Amino acid sequence: MTDTDPPPFYAAHIFVCTNRRPDNHPRGCCAARGSEKLRDYMKARAKELKIPDIRVNTAGCLERCEFGPAMVIYPDGIWYRPTTIEDVEEILQTHVIGGGRVRRLMLTEKDVPPPKG
């Protein structure tokens, strides 16, 4: 950010991939791995916890299909791979509320899809 940038509209803006590919697609997809259920839980739980200035959005393909379900939290730019409701709860409590990181669920620069082509 620069001094002239407006402040972020949300303290946390979370994008959860819910992209759906054909069942036999070699890369798989986040929706087939339960991302819609995880997104729905995260939205409802954030509201229940009354977390201020948060937005949980559906996202199309985030290009981390092989590692899904994938989500990214901005403005931090931290990527996660939650697979259970408990994982989502831990991300909300530790990252969104507490400002920490859930290292065991993080996708890193080492988690890249294979080259196209």
Side-chain angles (χ1 to χ4, degrees), residues 8-13 51-55 73-76 96:
F9 193 73
Y10 298 111
H13 200 162
I51 301 172
D53 303 322
I54 185 175
R55 177 78 180 183
I73 301 176
Y74 289 112
D76 305 327
V96 177

Side-chain angles (χ1 to χ4, degrees), residues 11-112:
H13 200 162
I14 304 169
F15 294 91
V16 181
C17 178
T18 59
N19 190 54
R20 186 169 300 278
R21 295 182 190 271
D23 291 340
N24 60 350
H25 195 282
R27 293 186 72 191
C29 70
C30 292
R33 294 183 183 114
S35 64
E36 292 162 328
K37 176 182 168 187
L38 299 173
R39 181 229 29 230
D40 291 348
Y41 175 82
M42 183 173 257
K43 285 180 85 156
R45 186 69 172 133
K47 186 178 278 191
E48 182 180 295
L49 292 169
K50 296 180 170 83
I51 301 172
D53 303 322
I54 185 175
R55 177 78 180 183
V56 179
N57 275 106
T58 294
C61 185
L62 295 173
E63 288 295 332
R64 306 295 280 278
C65 313
E66 292 79 5
F67 309 103
M71 75 169 48
V72 60
I73 301 176
Y74 289 112
D76 305 327
I78 301 297
W79 291 72
Y80 287 109
R81 179 191 183 199
T83 58
T84 66
I85 295 297
E86 292 79 16
D87 291 345
V88 170
E89 184 69 30
E90 188 174 358
I91 291 166
L92 283 171
Q93 295 291 337
T94 302
H95 185 125
V96 177
I97 294 172
R101 301 292 183 261
V102 184
R103 299 266 176 224
R104 68 180 184 81
L105 298 175
M106 286 174 66
L107 290 171
T108 70
E109 72 284 356
K110 296 174 187 157
D111 301 307
V112 296

